[in-house]
């Protein structure tokens, strides 16, 4: 059974993972655009904002690891595969195959089994 503190810090880690996935979407959207120069390709507001989000998520992860066990962190971070797949389908119109669905179900199952000690 999880205690309240572990639940709170796990939530911080999950939120950081979600924000990291959002920043990946921003970077992909920006990478698909034409830019006048290499400098403008990297020094524009969306790219710098996305990297600022990555910086924020790093601190969120550091804070979360004050309470979250090291062995549980990668389990929580694996939720990024879920977020990225959903964003890929909804935003970039990527196809979701049966293999991807099976993989996501396995990831969710692993998180559930680890979290509840089944």
């Amino acid at each position: 059974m999880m205690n309240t503190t572990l639940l709170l810090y796990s939530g911080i880690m999950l939120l950081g993972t979600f924000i990291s996935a959002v920043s990946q979407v921003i970077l992909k959207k920006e990478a698909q655009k034409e830019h006048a120069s290499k400098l403008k390709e990297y020094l524009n507001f969306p790219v710098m904002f996305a990297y600022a989000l990555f910086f924020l998520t790093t601190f969120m992860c550091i804070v979360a690891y004050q309470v979250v066990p090291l062995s549980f962190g990668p389990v929580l971070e694996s939720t990024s595969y879920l977020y990225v797949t959903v964003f890929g389908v909804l935003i970039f119109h990527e196809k979701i195959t049966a293999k991807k669905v099976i993989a996501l179900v396995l990831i969710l199952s692993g998180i559930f089994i680890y979290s509840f000690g089944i």
Side-chain angles (χ1 to χ4, degrees):
M1 190 70 151
M2 285 189 173
N3 65 39
T4 307
T5 305
L6 178 58
L7 201 58
L8 174 67
Y9 282 81
S10 296
I12 291 170
M13 185 168 273
L14 284 172
L15 180 62
T17 303
F18 178 79
I19 292 171
S20 177
V22 169
S23 64
Q24 289 176 41
V25 168
I26 294 169
L27 288 175
K28 181 162 175 84
K29 294 279 285 182
E30 200 58 29
Q32 292 175 331
K33 293 180 183 175
E34 293 284 329
H35 296 88
S37 68
K38 283 287 183 192
L39 190 62
K40 289 182 179 178
E41 186 175 336
Y42 296 104
L43 295 179
N44 60 61
F45 179 76
V47 169
M48 293 189 326
F49 180 69
Y51 281 111
L53 287 178
F54 275 131
F55 194 69
L56 171 70
T57 62
T58 299
F59 277 106
M60 293 174 76
C61 188
I62 291 169
V63 168
Y65 269 125
Q66 290 177 349
V67 174
V68 174
L70 184 61
S71 62
F72 191 43
V75 174
L76 294 174
E77 290 173 350
S78 68
T79 58
S80 68
Y81 294 107
L82 301 170
Y83 308 138
V84 170
T85 301
V86 170
F87 291 153
V89 170
L90 296 178
I91 298 171
F92 299 106
H93 309 291
E94 295 174 354
K95 287 185 176 183
I96 187 157
T97 62
K99 286 181 182 177
K100 288 180 183 177
V101 171
I102 291 169
L104 293 176
V105 168
L106 289 172
I107 289 169
L108 279 174
S109 300
I111 293 170
F112 184 78
I113 289 169
Y114 188 93
S115 299
F116 296 103
I118 298 174

